Every structure is written in C-alpha cells, then in structure tokens.
Amino acid sequence: MPGHGEPSFAAELKHFREVRGLSKVELARRLKISPSYVSHLESGRERGSSDLARRLETELDAGGKLWKAWKDDTSGPQLGAESAEVPPSAGILVLEDSAALRYDGTHYHLTMHRRLRNTGTEPITRYLVRIAVDRHPGEPERSNALYRAHPLTWEELQVEAHCGDEQMGRVIKHDRDAFKEIWLEFANPRTRFPLYPGQEAEITYSYSVTADKWGPWFQRAVRLPTRELTVSLSFPTDLQPTVWGTETSLSADAAPLRTPPTHAIDADHTVYTWTTLDPPLHARYRLEWRLKTAHLPESEPVNTPSPSALMAAAGIVQEGDILLQSVAQAFELPTEADDARRVVSELSDAITRVKTLHDFGKGMGIAAPQIGINRAAAIVVPPGDGASPIILLNPTTVESSAETDRQYEGCLSFFDVRGLVPRPLHIVISHTDIEGTPHLTRFEHGLARLVLHEVDHLDGRLYRTRMDPGTEPIPVEEYRGTGQNWTYR
C-alpha cells in the first residue's frame, strides 16, 4: 500500500477507467482478460503483472500515473499478506512454511516458522520479511485513510526473530503506513551464522497487530519454491468463527481452495488448519473469516461485509463475469465421468461454504459457472433438514406448464438484492446421470423454481432477464422473506 497518501494502483485504475467512460466488461474485452479480474484489480485483491500494468497504462492513457502507482504498490507485498524473500541471486528451497495466526479478542498474534535449505552457491546472510495489513479489503480509499491516521508502528508490532536458538539481527528496509519491510540477518552482536550452500536452518519470527488494524483475512503468496505450506487460524470459540478460502494463480482467477480447512477445539479456541503440498510459484492462498459475535473497539465502526461480498469471498463468481453470460459446455458421458465427478465435488464444497453464511429456508442451488467452471452441472438442495441434493448434469427443459406464479428469488452471484420472477409451476427436465443414462424428471412449485434458476445459469442467463419489463430487484434489506419457504395455494 503506498505510504504518505499516494493513490494506490487499485484506486488509480478505477479512477482512469471511469474517466475514460469504460465499464469493467469493456476494459476486460479490450485487454482480453476476465471482467472479474478487473474487479479484483480495482478492489486491491490482485495487482497484476508488470506487462498488464503497462497495457492498462497505455489503454487508459493515464499519463504515467497508473504505471507509477503499480510500481509503488509492488515495492511492498500483497495487501493483507505476509510474505518473505531472499536476494534474487540466492538459491533457496522452503521445506516447511507454517503460519499460525491467533486472535485473542483484541490483538492478532502471528508466528511464522520456516525451514530453509540453501540450494545456491553462495552463503545467505539475510532474509527479507514483509508485513502488510488491510482493515477494509475492497475499499482501498477507506483503508488508506485509516492507516494515514493510525499507521502501523514498530512499537506495537514487537517483532521477534530467531534462527534456531540464536536471535536474528533486524535492519529496517521500508517503513510505510500499512506495510513494513525488514531484513532478518543471520547474525547478532555476539556471532554470525550464515546459511551456507547445502545447509538447512529453521527461522521463526512473530509480531502482533491490534484488531482495529487487521482485516478479516490472511493471504500467503508463494514467492520461493516450497514443499509444504500450512496456515492455522485460532479464534475464541465463543465468537463462533466461520472460515473459508480461495486460491489464485498467474493463469486463473480466484477459485475455492481445493481442500477445505479442517477445524478442532483447543481449550477455549477453535483452530482452523489448512495445508497444501508443492504449491506452484506465484500462487496466492487467501483465508477469510467471519466472527458472529465479535466485540470491536468502541472507536471502530462495525464493517459488515455485504451479502455479495461474502459470497465472492467464498469463491462465488459475481455478476459481470463473462462466465455467467456463456452457455456451459455439456459433458460427454460416460467418457467424461471423472470430470463430472470432480465438478460435482467442487459444487458440493461450495454449498458447504455458502450455507455457513446464510439461512436458505427456501432451499438453494449452485451451478458450475458460479464457481468458475464452464461445464453443464448444477446441484439443487431442497428445503428442510436432511433433504437429498439433486444433481443435474446436462439439464434442459423439455416441458413447462402454462400456469405460472411470481416469487422473489435471490442469486449467489448478486446476493445484495432479491427479484420478483415469474416461473412455471410445473416443469419436466431432461438430464443425464454419471453413467450417461438419460432421465426425465418432473418438478413443481418451489423445486421447479430452484431447478429453473440453475438451468438458466447453465444457459448464460440471470434471473434479471426473466423479470417483468419495468421491474427491478429490491435491496435485500427490504425483503421480508429471508429464511422462509415460498408459499403456494
């Protein structure tokens, strides 16, 4: 994050896009990238490559300001991330990388542990650590204002660092409002202990940040070859924590973590743990959380994420993404049975995540494009405890009743509103099972509505296109049917 009030790359990008009168979709089309990636850039969740920053500078004719902002931003780490680097000439392998973040109700305490091997030809004498925070992810102007008024200080961070039993020396490289850079030296006033070629060493460092400066997320960026990466998040159990995560690579937008975090009770804390082996270079893993009964400092206003923001953080593709406007690719079954099983598994994982965020009294559904997969698969979960999910592969509507009704619907891809949508009361759906056997299934009333909503997604349609002309969705705050099933005569 730039210090001293300079505009961030995210803020400059949004400013120049709007000045040039371009929508996110149009800018994405010109640059041949996803509209959702433009959203990630403008929210600060992504920074993009130097090549993309230069192309944006040229496309938006920003007079060098966009390029300068990108360079200023990338002199530090990803917002809200903790990462480390060594000099570019060094060869190093991270055998174990473990981050343990503990929230005690007022402070976040982070302990990093790394086991390193020098695979180069020269001794390594220092290790660069970057510390960054973002209290209001997606609102860079608000975060900038917060940290200008209340910058991070070394006094509050209380950084401690050791290599084995030896304390490591510390040299400050950058000291900005919301991030710090510090060289950890393999030396102290008593001795030197460089990491020679072929040797291994374990380093541990820790620091603390007050809750009013640490946002509800923690991101790890893989900048060095790494064998094992682990993150654990510990929260007081009485705050009823909910944790989810996404991953991003150079070639793909944010998608749900391939494996969910596990959790266990440790005394009065709930500990969530997530591990991955051999993560690819430049991958980013972001874990986020919600504390249902958290007590914020009196000076800190409650910053409740919007329903759509929660769904986006849980890995749901949001309105504006080109995937939601495209017809999903059908499966060739049973030839692509393994692919279909994988997609269904990822849909099931997504359902588990979003059901922790909302009470779906009417039942719910999710289609593969909503989790970034352009395949013709969807799952519908009927209302009621213990209801078996309905798996739909290659579904199409073959029969609809002339009799219709209008009910309010919500969509995970724009969950801030509810829309009154006419739908037939009875339908027949043609679909295929995993072995390729065709089926015809009749649905009625609420199930018909849920199924048609998901079939629309696979056809590249959102419910807005089904609403009566001249009507618009209403804000979710005005909707009075949350948690209740639709009623039928």
Side-chain angles (χ1 to χ4, degrees):
M1 179 178 296
H4 313 298
E6 302 117 328
S8 68
F9 175 67
E12 289 281 40
L13 174 57
K14 181 178 180 181
H15 168 73
F16 280 102
R17 177 181 62 78
E18 291 177 346
V19 166
R20 303 302 176 220
L22 298 177
S23 67
K24 294 177 185 178
V25 172
E26 175 59 21
L27 179 59
R29 186 191 64 79
R30 293 187 181 189
L31 295 175
K32 295 181 172 58
I33 61 177
S34 166
S36 65
Y37 196 65
V38 175
S39 295
H40 292 323
L41 292 169
E42 290 190 0
S43 71
R45 291 180 64 181
E46 296 293 338
R47 292 185 177 177
S49 64
S50 59
D51 176 67
L52 178 59
R54 289 182 183 276
R55 289 165 58 202
L56 285 164
E57 167 69 36
T58 301
E59 185 65 44
L60 296 175
D61 190 19
K65 293 182 178 179
L66 197 56
W67 173 239
K68 180 181 182 302
W70 184 88
K71 290 192 294 182
D72 287 345
D73 276 10
T74 51
S75 66
Q78 293 293 314
L79 292 175
E82 191 292 329
S83 61
E85 292 183 352
V86 293
S89 59
I92 197 163
L93 173 65
V94 181
L95 298 171
E96 297 175 7
D97 186 320
S98 175
L101 181 67
R102 182 179 178 86
Y103 178 55
D104 64 10
T106 61
H107 290 71
Y108 285 93
H109 306 279
L110 180 68
T111 300
M112 300 295 307
H113 173 83
R114 290 189 176 94
R115 184 158 65 94
L116 311 174
R117 177 186 296 161
N118 186 345
T119 58
T121 58
E122 300 293 331
I124 295 173
T125 60
R126 59 183 185 173
Y127 193 81
L128 181 64
V129 170
R130 295 170 172 178
I131 303 169
V133 292
D134 184 9
R135 182 67 184 88
H136 306 293
E139 301 179 78
E141 296 87 353
R142 187 177 179 189
S143 279
N144 281 336
L146 169 65
Y147 297 118
R148 281 196 299 270
H150 306 284
L152 281 180
T153 66
W154 293 107
E155 290 75 18
E156 71 176 295
L157 288 171
Q158 293 293 304
V159 177
E160 295 286 342
H162 292 81
C163 178
D165 294 330
E166 292 287 353
Q167 186 171 13
M168 301 183 77
R170 301 190 293 277
V171 177
I172 295 173
K173 180 181 180 183
H174 287 296
D175 185 358
R176 297 188 180 181
D177 293 343
F179 79 84
K180 314 292 186 188
E181 288 186 324
I182 183 172
W183 287 108
L184 300 182
E185 296 189 314
F186 289 85
N188 58 42
R190 301 184 306 276
T191 185
R192 295 179 180 273
F193 39 93
L195 183 59
Y196 287 99
Q199 289 186 340
E200 295 182 9
E202 294 189 13
I203 66 172
T204 301
Y205 56 95
S206 61
Y207 56 87
S208 300
V209 179
T210 56
D212 58 343
K213 295 182 182 179
W214 188 291
W217 62 299
F218 181 61
Q219 179 168 293
R220 301 303 318 283
V222 181
R223 303 182 185 278
L224 299 169
T226 300
R227 289 289 177 260
E228 180 177 304
L229 176 67
T230 300
V231 177
S232 70
L233 307 173
S234 177
F235 305 99
T237 298
D238 61 3
L239 296 185
Q240 304 173 49
T242 299
V243 173
W244 63 93
T246 57
E247 61 181 87
T248 308
S249 67
L250 288 177
S251 59
D253 289 344
L257 294 174
R258 296 179 185 275
T259 57
T262 60
H263 71 278
I265 304 298
D266 180 11
D268 60 349
H269 272 62
T270 299
V271 181
Y272 287 82
T273 303
W274 178 79
T275 299
T276 187
L277 301 178
D278 297 316
L281 277 175
H282 310 298
R284 298 187 186 101
Y285 301 96
R286 176 186 176 110
L287 284 95
E288 304 187 50
W289 55 86
R290 183 178 64 169
L291 306 178
K292 293 185 178 180
T293 57
H295 298 289
L296 298 174
E298 291 184 4
S299 60
E300 173 66 10
V302 176
N303 180 31
T304 303
S306 71
S308 289
L310 285 173
M311 293 304 164
I316 304 300
V317 172
Q318 295 299 292
E319 186 178 21
D321 194 295
I322 194 67
L323 267 181
L324 300 182
Q325 306 167 34
S326 307
V327 176
Q329 179 185 352
F331 291 98
E332 293 185 11
L333 296 170
T335 304
E336 294 184 301
D338 288 343
D339 288 341
R341 290 189 183 94
R342 177 183 59 82
V343 173
V344 169
S345 176
E346 294 193 26
L347 286 169
S348 297
D349 290 343
I351 286 173
T352 300
R353 291 193 302 274
V354 301
K355 286 180 75 172
T356 67
L357 304 175
H358 185 78
D359 179 11
F360 293 94
K362 300 173 179 63
M364 64 158 312
I366 189 168
Q370 291 182 283
I371 59 171
I373 302 174
N374 191 31
R375 300 306 301 268
I379 294 180
V380 169
V381 180
D385 295 335
S388 298
I390 300 166
I391 297 173
L392 298 170
L393 301 175
N394 302 340
T396 58
T397 306
V398 296
E399 181 183 319
S400 298
S401 67
E403 186 181 5
T404 65
D405 78 333
R406 287 166 174 76
Q407 304 272 8
Y408 278 99
E409 295 182 16
C411 180
L412 303 180
S413 294
F414 51 105
F415 211 49
D416 294 337
V417 296
R418 299 292 186 269
L420 192 60
V421 184
R423 299 278 191 191
L425 289 176
H426 305 270
I427 60 171
V428 175
I429 297 293
S430 170
H431 57 106
T432 308
D433 64 23
I434 205 77
E435 287 80 24
T437 304
H439 296 271
L440 291 175
T441 305
R442 181 178 297 275
F443 301 99
E444 65 177 18
H445 297 165
L447 269 183
R449 182 171 292 274
L450 288 170
V451 168
L452 286 175
H453 184 110
E454 303 312 320
V455 172
D456 274 353
H457 272 303
L458 301 180
D459 289 337
R461 297 190 65 168
L462 300 178
Y463 75 64
R464 291 182 190 272
T465 66
R466 297 288 189 188
M467 296 178 66
D468 292 328
T471 61
E472 294 291 336
I474 63 172
V476 67
E477 294 81 6
E478 298 179 14
Y479 178 59
R480 296 294 178 262
T482 298
Q484 304 172 21
N485 203 350
W486 295 297
T487 58
Y488 294 87
R489 295 179 181 177

